[in-house]
């Protein structure tokens, strides 16, 4: 009978469907990226290729700057500036944000400055920093500090306000010491906000560093992007931008997301138990 | 073990607009050792405030509270309306936090956790995170957490009002069993008359704000009790009637 054949065929199709459903997220990722690349290549060929270079020349240029190591030299300069500025901003934001969530006087006092800090254009800050500190590393650090701090503080502030006071009272009712209250109740409550703040803060930091480098420094990814622009090398602009974006994405998804998943493992428990596809 | 004496306790708060809010007025109660007392009253009548005062978390405006003999160190634990578990700690770690806070020696932790999780029927779940437990199971963990400290007095603030009725029934039965087995003083606050009458040795009915004790009555129905027992239902109805009469004369 033919039934056997069609049955095994159905089994094969079903397995494939199951595979797709399990990997649904990745299927969409791949389709999305493929469509983007296709649109890029098509645009390059259909429009004018000296305005929008194709995948091949940009890819070749990317390989070249990676091979010669010139990319890494400038990347490390940029990352160094991001790291210093971000560390300063994060360091001051922890006590400031917690104070704002804890004490309404601190909240009222810093509310407006934080709001202004979040709204102010990054370019303006970069220009003022260069006027004040000259074409120096200090201009990069201070720009990052001024722009990232309000965003990070905002996160901690909200996080501290969201701490469940009932849980703290529970701890107090069992005579849990002040140190352990902070360690076991307050900090774990803040953890998602600490991570979110790091992600927002880093994203702002590298964007502003690139602007400062473009405006007035003699090294870094921003400097290189500007140099390629001066040389009328659109391919170079694309290659540098794209490579740098990929590095920042790796940091974002590879490091921060993994860290987040690890420290908030308890959140996943229920989802893992009930979320799988079962027959 | 330990008895509680509350004498002439009043409590008032200063409101935002400056006016005075009288919550408790001249409340007195006394429990026997290993007693099970239910405080029955409408929502917002200040029952929780009274528990906080007994626990020493809030001072009374006037009056006195005595837990245990004079100068005696007593151990009081809370079970709240919500389980108040830490989602990032396993069931075991949640109990450990209480044991550590109350200064129970580490050498006893294993045995305590084993004993009390078994008592609430959750000994297989010590490694689970609260997210994977149902509402009733979480409240059981909260009960185990308070019991594991082996306190002299357990204060319970409407602990079953946030779980569904069928689960609540089982929890009530189990709590009475545990209490009979463990012999501890329990003060249990509720707005559910049947619940109070089913569980307690004695029921104290509290009026609307400013609250005072309007009924203090020994239940006296032999255990094990049944929620369908007409005598029990009638007594519960009497408590509710007293509250209603009082509410009418108050307004």
């Amino acid at each position: 009978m033919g039934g056997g054949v069609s049955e095994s065929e159905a089994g094969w199709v079903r397995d494939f469907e199951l595979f797709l459903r399990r990997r649904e997220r990745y299927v969409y990722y791949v389709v999305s990226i493929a469509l983007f690349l296709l649109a890029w290549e098509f645009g390059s060929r259909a429009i004018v290729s000296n305005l929008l270079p194709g995948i091949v020349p940009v890819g070749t240029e990317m390989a070249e700057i990676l091979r010669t190591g010139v990319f890494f030299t400038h990347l490390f300069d940029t990352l160094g500036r991001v790291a210093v500025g971000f560390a300063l901003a994060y360091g001051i934001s922890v006590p400031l944000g917690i104070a704002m969530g804890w004490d309404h006087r601190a909240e009222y006092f810093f509310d407006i400055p934080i709001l202004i800090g979040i709204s102010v254009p990054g370019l303006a800050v970069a220009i003022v920093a260069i006027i004040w500190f000259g074409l120096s590393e200090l201009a990069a650090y201070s720009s990052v500090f001024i722009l990232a701090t309000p965003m990070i503080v905002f996160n901690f502030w909200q996080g501290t306000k969201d701490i469940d006071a009932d849980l703290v009272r529970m701890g107090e009712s069992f005579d849990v010491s002040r140190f352990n209250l902070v360690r076991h109740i307050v900090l774990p409550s803040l953890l998602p906000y600490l991570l979110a703040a790091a992600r927002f803060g880093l994203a702002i930091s590298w964007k502003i560093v690139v602007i400062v480098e473009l405006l007035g420094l003699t090294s870094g990814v921003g400097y290189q992007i500007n140099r390629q622009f001066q040389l009328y090398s659109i391919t170079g602009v694309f290659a540098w931008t794209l490579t740098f974006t990929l590095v920042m994405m790796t940091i974002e998804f590879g490091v921060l997301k993994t860290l987040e998943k690890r420290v908030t493992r308890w959140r996943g428990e229920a989802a893992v138990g009930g979320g799988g596809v079962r027959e | 073990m330990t008895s509680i004496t509350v004498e002439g306790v009043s409590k008032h708060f200063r409101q935002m607009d400056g006016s005075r809010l009288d919550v408790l007025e001249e409340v007195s109660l006394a429990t026997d050792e290993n007693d099970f007392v239910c405080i029955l009253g409408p929502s917002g009548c200040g029952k929780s405030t009274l528990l906080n005062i007994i626990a020493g978390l809030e001072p009374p405006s006037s009056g006195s509270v005595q837990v245990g003999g004079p100068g005696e160190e007593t151990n009081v634990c809370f079970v709240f309306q919500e389980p108040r578990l830490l989602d990032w700690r396993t069931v075991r770690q949640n109990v450990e936090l209480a044991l550590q806070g109350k200064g129970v020696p580490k050498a006893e932790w294993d045995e305590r956790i084993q004993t009390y999780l078994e008592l609430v029927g959750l000994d297989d779940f010590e490694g689970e995170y609260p997210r994977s437990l149902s509402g009733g199971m979480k409240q059981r963990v909260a009960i185990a957490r308070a019991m594991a400290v082996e306190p002299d007095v357990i204060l319970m603030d409407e602990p079953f009002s946030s779980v569904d009725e069928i689960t609540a029934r089982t929890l009530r039965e189990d709590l009475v069993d545990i209490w009979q087995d463990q012999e501890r003083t329990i003060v249990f606050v509720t707005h559910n008359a049947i619940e109070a009458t089913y569980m307690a040795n004695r029921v104290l009915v509290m009026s609307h704000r400013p609250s005072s004790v309007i009924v203090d009555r020994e239940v006296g129905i032999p255990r094990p009790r049944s929620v369908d027992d007409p005598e029990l239902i009638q007594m519960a109805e009497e408590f509710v009637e007293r509250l209603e009469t009082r509410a009418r004369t108050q307004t």
Side-chain angles (χ1 to χ4, degrees):
Chain A
M1 297 255 273
V5 176
S6 73
E7 222 168 67
S8 78
E9 209 174 62
W12 183 85
V13 170
R14 208 181 48 212
D15 280 353
F16 185 64
E17 270 176 3
L18 202 67
F19 169 81
L20 284 187
R21 237 188 302 160
R22 256 193 211 131
R23 300 263 176 273
E24 199 182 18
R25 172 188 293 272
Y26 301 101
V27 171
Y28 278 91
Y29 282 176
V30 169
V31 170
S32 153
I33 292 169
L35 278 177
F36 170 76
L37 292 176
L38 211 70
W40 175 7
E41 189 60 29
F42 176 78
S44 165
R45 284 171 195 223
I47 316 169
V48 210
S49 63
N50 56 357
L51 287 183
L52 180 56
I55 293 174
V56 177
V58 171
T60 315
E61 180 71 19
M62 284 168 77
E64 187 63 16
I65 57 175
L66 287 171
R67 193 184 58 80
T68 57
V70 59
F71 176 76
F72 295 105
T73 319
H74 290 277
L75 174 72
F76 291 142
D77 280 348
T78 300
L79 287 185
R81 290 166 190 143
V82 168
V84 172
F86 172 76
L88 288 173
Y90 204 83
I92 190 102
S93 299
V94 174
L96 200 58
I98 292 177
M100 283 180 76
W102 208 271
D103 187 342
H104 69 271
R105 285 167 302 185
E107 179 171 11
Y108 298 157
F109 188 84
F110 290 109
D111 196 351
I112 303 288
I114 294 299
L115 215 65
I116 293 173
I118 288 175
S119 318
V120 73
L123 186 61
V125 172
I127 289 172
V128 171
I130 286 173
I131 292 172
W132 284 351
F133 301 109
L135 308 177
S136 66
E137 298 294 310
L138 206 55
Y141 302 157
S142 56
S143 305
V144 171
F145 181 76
I146 291 168
L147 287 165
T149 304
M151 201 68 201
I152 302 172
V153 168
F154 186 81
N155 266 284
F156 290 160
W157 168 26
Q158 294 305 319
T160 311
K161 285 182 87 147
D162 281 351
I163 291 174
D164 189 348
D166 283 347
L167 288 182
V168 177
R169 240 167 272 141
M170 179 279 294
E172 283 169 348
S173 82
F174 285 104
D175 299 340
V176 174
S177 67
R178 205 140 257 286
F179 175 76
N180 280 330
L181 279 181
V182 171
R183 182 170 157 211
H184 294 306
I185 301 179
V186 175
L187 280 184
S189 303
L190 273 179
L191 209 55
Y193 295 92
L194 289 169
L195 287 165
R199 282 165 62 187
F200 283 125
L202 271 181
I204 291 180
S205 299
W206 71 258
K207 279 174 184 145
I208 190 65
V209 164
V210 168
I211 292 179
V212 174
E213 286 170 348
L214 184 148
L215 285 176
L217 297 186
T218 50
S219 71
V221 174
Y223 161 78
Q224 275 296 342
I225 291 173
N226 191 34
R227 208 174 82 95
Q228 301 300 321
F229 172 63
Q230 307 285 351
L231 296 171
Y232 298 107
S233 167
I234 314 276
T235 312
V237 171
F238 268 74
W240 277 90
T241 310
L242 205 60
T243 317
F244 184 58
T245 308
L246 288 175
V247 170
M248 293 326 284
M249 274 174 68
T250 312
I251 293 177
E252 158 82 25
F253 286 95
V255 181
L256 288 172
K257 282 249 173 158
T258 312
L259 199 66
E260 185 172 12
K261 244 183 215 157
R262 178 156 302 180
V263 296
T264 56
R265 208 172 3 147
W266 53 269
R267 283 182 186 211
E269 286 292 299
V272 171
V277 179
R278 296 216 178 87
E279 293 213 59
Chain B
M1 284 177 83
T2 309
S3 57
I4 303 168
T5 315
V6 174
E7 253 176 31
V9 162
S10 299
K11 178 78 184 177
H12 51 81
F13 295 102
R14 194 60 63 192
Q15 281 177 301
M16 287 289 268
D17 61 4
S19 65
R20 199 174 109 155
L21 180 71
D22 290 298
V23 180
L24 297 174
E25 195 165 280
E26 292 285 317
V27 173
S28 297
L29 70 92
T31 73
D32 289 333
E33 289 179 6
N34 310 328
D35 211 349
F36 196 144
V37 175
C38 276
I39 298 175
L40 173 67
S43 299
C45 79
K47 303 171 303 228
S48 302
T49 308
L50 180 60
L51 279 196
N52 286 338
I53 291 173
I54 294 174
L57 296 175
E58 264 179 65
S61 301
S62 62
S64 70
V65 175
Q66 176 83 48
V67 181
E72 203 177 295
E73 267 302 295
T74 50
N75 195 347
V76 178
C77 276
F78 244 106
V79 178
F80 301 93
Q81 188 167 346
E82 324 78 31
R84 297 198 190 176
L85 302 178
L86 303 178
D87 284 338
W88 46 89
R89 308 194 109 210
T90 60
V91 167
R92 182 192 173 89
Q93 290 169 332
N94 265 285
V95 180
E96 280 178 353
L97 188 76
L99 294 175
Q100 187 188 26
K102 287 289 191 183
V104 176
K106 228 171 185 161
E108 293 176 32
W109 287 10
D110 271 341
E111 200 199 321
R112 296 260 187 128
I113 290 168
Q114 175 67 30
T115 308
Y116 290 97
L117 283 180
E118 202 179 302
L119 201 65
V120 296
L122 287 178
D123 41 332
D124 289 338
F125 291 84
E126 63 169 76
E128 300 284 330
Y129 286 94
R131 287 273 157 128
S132 52
L133 305 181
S134 69
M137 288 158 93
K138 285 184 196 171
Q139 203 52 282
R140 284 171 190 273
V141 175
I143 292 170
R145 176 176 62 189
M147 289 279 177
V149 168
E150 301 191 339
D152 306 306
V153 175
I154 299 183
L155 304 175
M156 299 188 150
D157 189 1
E158 306 196 16
F160 304 148
S161 64
S162 57
V163 296
D164 64 272
E165 182 51 29
I166 295 170
T167 309
R169 280 195 182 196
T170 329
L171 287 171
R172 279 174 208 135
E173 280 173 29
D174 291 351
L175 180 63
V176 171
D177 288 345
I178 292 170
W179 167 71
Q180 286 179 319
D181 179 61
Q182 294 283 316
E183 306 206 320
R184 298 190 191 290
T185 304
I186 295 181
V187 179
F188 188 108
V189 157
T190 176
H191 60 250
N192 181 334
I194 299 273
E195 178 174 78
T197 321
Y198 171 73
M199 292 194 301
N201 281 350
R202 239 171 72 228
V203 175
L204 275 73
V205 182
M206 285 179 73
S207 61
H208 286 273
R209 267 201 315 259
S211 306
S212 52
V213 178
I214 52 174
V215 179
D216 181 348
R217 185 169 165 187
E218 203 76 41
V219 175
I221 300 170
R223 300 178 192 270
R225 297 173 186 164
S226 154
V227 275
D228 305 320
D229 178 1
E231 191 187 351
L232 193 149
I233 292 171
Q234 201 202 335
M235 194 183 288
E237 270 170 9
E238 277 170 37
F239 291 143
V240 176
E241 268 166 36
R242 288 290 294 273
L243 263 175
E244 283 172 346
T245 326
R246 174 67 180 227
R248 266 196 294 277
T249 54
Q250 256 182 340
T251 43

